[in-house]
């Protein structure tokens, strides 16, 4: 029988820093690092360990002796249970400080990079209600709060429409009010739940794979257009019509009311048929003089205002004069490609998702952009010598990969192609640093600009300009 390790208590420990994944960082008396999820740098606290590793502990705060001057009052009643906004208890100027510090640390420690002076992070004007897309999950066995568990009152309402508890794939926290998306997002979500319960439509249970209602997605564009997509586990035509008909009548401002029937084990919709109940099957976004058609499967940056700032930095770093051939890798629906197209001779966009490329082509046509071409396929197989021979060697490469960064073969192909300039946009400065470490054999980093897309969280975007060494 395995012996259970005793949890340790450390008293009056000062919290020193904010680290990866939004964790606060302290040090135990023996020098080992302690990662905390419920503290702010500057707090003086008692800590109980919950996990012990060779080099570090994971712990939780049991008592606060002194509160940090970096603290602020969280806006949301769900803070501390919902894992969506882990830094709500830290004032925004300090959030920006630690995001900038994370970028600098990752580039220096992981990449061992020779860096210019890093530009101050671009903060978001909106601290709350900045997201244009939210996804909520239904559950018939919601997460119970500590107060509910300690209460002697019987729990009769176990239905939820909200967010996954961190690390709990089958547990959903019921949300009363979310501060991330502007109205009528909260009203739509609450009415969906209320009407579904009135109609007796069962909520989904992922363990038993039972119930009917699975997920709810709400998109609100900068033009005020609203898309709502409901995911059902199985079809119940009469009640589905009643539910969606009620939402249509209650919220006539909804531009696109959609649904899908997904009988798979997971909630992904990319292989599902989306059906239009009311309105259009798409909404529109606008950036400068460009209009983008957004369908339910489209990727679009979830903070519209900061996406504009991110793309402006990208375009500025590209330094286009009108003569350049630009490759836009991981182009998505071609937003960056079209945003820089007016300053380039031609832009070639590459993306693995065929539906995204179809959207990119439609958007380019709608925007009367004639100097773009888009290709669908896995980056490491598409970006080969034949492709470059056919399309021409790029003068500038813009790359905006997913969190895992670029595949090693893609990095190697960039080194083989050796464009004069590379603009690397990243949502994960750790994997960005890894890729830059390889690229620095031929390139020099000229500019670094962090951009905060997600206030109240630890996430940060970073844009780096590389120039070919002479």
């Amino acid at each position: 029988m395995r012996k259970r390790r005793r949890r340790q208590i450390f008293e009056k420990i000062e919290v020193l820093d904010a680290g990866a994944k939004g964790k606060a960082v302290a040090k135990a008396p023996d020098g080992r690092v302690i990662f905390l999820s419920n503290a702010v740098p500057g707090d003086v606290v008692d800590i109980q360990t919950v996990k012990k590793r060779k080099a570090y502990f994971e712990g939780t705060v049991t008592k606060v002796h002194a509160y940090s001057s970096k603290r602020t009052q969280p806006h949301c009643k769900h803070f501390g249970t919902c894992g969506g906004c882990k830094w709500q208890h830290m004032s925004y100027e300090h959030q920006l400080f630690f995001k900038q510090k994370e970028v600098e640390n990752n580039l220096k420690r992981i990449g061992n990079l020779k860096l210019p002076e890093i530009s101050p992070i671009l903060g978001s004007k909106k601290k709350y209600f900045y997201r244009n897309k939210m996804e909520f999950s239904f559950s018939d066995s919601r997460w119970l709060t500590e107060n509910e568990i300690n209460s002697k009152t019987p729990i009769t309402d176990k239905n939820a429409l909200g967010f996954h508890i961190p690390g709990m794939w089958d547990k959903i926290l019921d949300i009363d009010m979310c501060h991330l998306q502007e109205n009528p997002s909260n009203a739509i979500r609450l009415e969906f739940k209320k009407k579904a319960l009135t109609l007796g439509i069962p909520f989904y249970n992922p363990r038993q794979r039972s119930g009917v209602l699975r997920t709810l997605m709400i998109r609100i564009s900068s033009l005020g257009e609203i898309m709502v997509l409901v995911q059902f586990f199985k079809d119940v035509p009469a009640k589905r019509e009643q539910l969606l008909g009620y939402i249509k009548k209650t919220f006539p401002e909804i531009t696109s009311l959609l649904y899908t029937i997904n009988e798979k084990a997971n909630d992904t919709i990319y292989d599902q048929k989306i059906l239009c109940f009311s309105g259009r099957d798409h909404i529109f976004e606008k950036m400068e003089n460009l209009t983008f058609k957004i369908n339910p499967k489209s990727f679009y940056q979830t903070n519209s205002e900061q996406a504009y700032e991110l793309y402006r930095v990208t375009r500025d770093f590209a330094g286009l004069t009108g003569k350049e051939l630009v490759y836009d890798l991981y182009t998505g629906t071609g937003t960056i490609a079209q945003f820089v197209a007016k300053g380039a001779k031609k832009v070639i966009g590459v993306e693995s998702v065929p539906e995204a490329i179809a959207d990119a082509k439609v958007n380019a046509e709608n925007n009367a952009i004639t100097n773009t071409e888009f290709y669908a396929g896995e980056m490491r197989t598409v970006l080969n010598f034949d492709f470059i021979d056919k399309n021409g060697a790029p003068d500038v490469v813009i790359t905006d990969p997913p969190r895992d960064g670029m595949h090693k073969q893609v990095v190697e192909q960039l080194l083989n192609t050796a464009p004069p300039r590379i603009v690397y946009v990243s949502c994960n400065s750790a994997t960005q640093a890894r890729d830059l470490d390889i690229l620095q054999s031929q390139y020099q980093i000229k500019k670094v600009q962090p951009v905060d897309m997600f206030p109240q969280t630890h996430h940060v975007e970073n844009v780096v300009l590389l120039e070919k060494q002479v």
Side-chain angles (χ1 to χ4, degrees), residues 78-114:
H78 303 295
F79 175 76
T81 308
C82 169
C85 300
K86 294 180 180 177
W87 279 5
Q88 266 195 56
H89 57 347
M90 192 190 308
S91 59
Y92 188 56
E93 66 268 25
H94 293 107
Q95 292 181 31
L96 294 178
F97 171 84
F98 287 110
K99 292 185 186 197
Q100 175 113 10
K101 185 177 179 181
E102 179 184 320
V103 169
E104 293 181 3
N105 286 344
N106 284 339
L107 296 186
K108 290 176 181 177
R109 294 179 183 177
I110 297 175
N112 298 307
L113 302 170
K114 297 176 183 178

Side-chain angles (χ1 to χ4, degrees), residues 106-126:
N106 284 339
L107 296 186
K108 290 176 181 177
R109 294 179 183 177
I110 297 175
N112 298 307
L113 302 170
K114 297 176 183 178
L115 298 173
E117 184 177 352
I118 297 177
S119 298
I121 188 170
L122 292 179
S124 175
K125 292 180 181 177
K126 287 183 177 179

Side-chain angles (χ1 to χ4, degrees), residues 425-462:
V425 184
S426 174
C427 60
N428 184 347
S429 58
T431 55
Q432 184 186 43
R434 177 203 66 203
D435 296 343
L436 293 174
D437 184 28
I438 302 172
L439 289 170
Q440 73 174 341
S441 64
Q442 294 184 25
Y443 285 87
Q444 183 177 7
I445 296 174
K446 290 292 189 178
K447 295 180 181 179
V448 180
Q449 178 62 73
V451 180
D452 183 25
M453 301 284 287
F454 304 106
Q456 317 309 327
T457 79
H458 64 282
H459 298 291
V460 57
E461 299 268 338
N462 191 47

Side-chain angles (χ1 to χ4, degrees), residues 35-84:
F35 292 108
L36 304 164
S37 58
N38 55 343
V40 169
D43 287 344
V44 178
V45 299
D46 291 348
I47 299 169
Q48 178 176 285
T49 63
V50 294
K51 288 184 181 179
K52 181 181 179 181
R53 299 290 184 261
K54 187 174 181 179
Y56 67 90
F57 294 99
E58 292 182 23
T60 185
V61 173
T62 57
K63 181 178 180 181
V64 180
H65 294 276
Y67 286 102
S68 170
S69 61
K70 299 177 178 65
R71 275 188 174 268
T72 190
Q73 184 65 32
H75 279 45
C76 183
K77 64 176 283 188
H78 303 295
F79 175 76
T81 308
C82 169

